[in-house]
Amino acid sequence: MGGHGVVDGRGVNVAATPQGKELLGRVMPGHVAVVRRLLVTPLNRSDITTLSDVLGRVRTHMRTTPPRSATPGRKPTTLRND
């Protein structure tokens, strides 16, 4: 039960089962803590400002540059759960 969430195929919408939602609720706090410890904690405020600026420019560039999957003639692939 999924579908492409972005016109150019870069996103996918999915639906989680109740068990999947429960699992995400258990693992996400730990994931966020690890990312924070590894990526954010070693940075000072100036580093975070710089990182935010750089990643913002990367995001803008990615949003304005169609991915190869959006080239004419290619159909997005879909995952099936049969």
Side-chain angles (χ1 to χ4, degrees), residues 32-76:
V32 169
V34 168
V35 170
R36 181 173 286 131
R37 180 173 48 85
L38 295 175
L39 180 64
V40 179
T41 299
L43 304 177
N44 62 37
R45 196 166 292 290
S46 176
D47 293 334
I48 292 171
T49 299
T50 300
L51 181 61
S52 177
D53 178 56
V54 169
L55 292 177
R57 285 185 276 139
V58 169
R59 179 190 62 204
T60 298
H61 174 72
M62 289 175 71
R63 287 182 174 172
T64 60
T65 305
R68 291 183 309 158
S69 62
T71 57
R74 273 193 78 180
K75 293 183 181 177

Side-chain angles (χ1 to χ4, degrees), residues 14-26:
V14 298
T17 64
Q19 296 88 351
K21 289 178 183 179
E22 190 272 328
L23 177 62
L24 284 173
R26 283 190 286 128

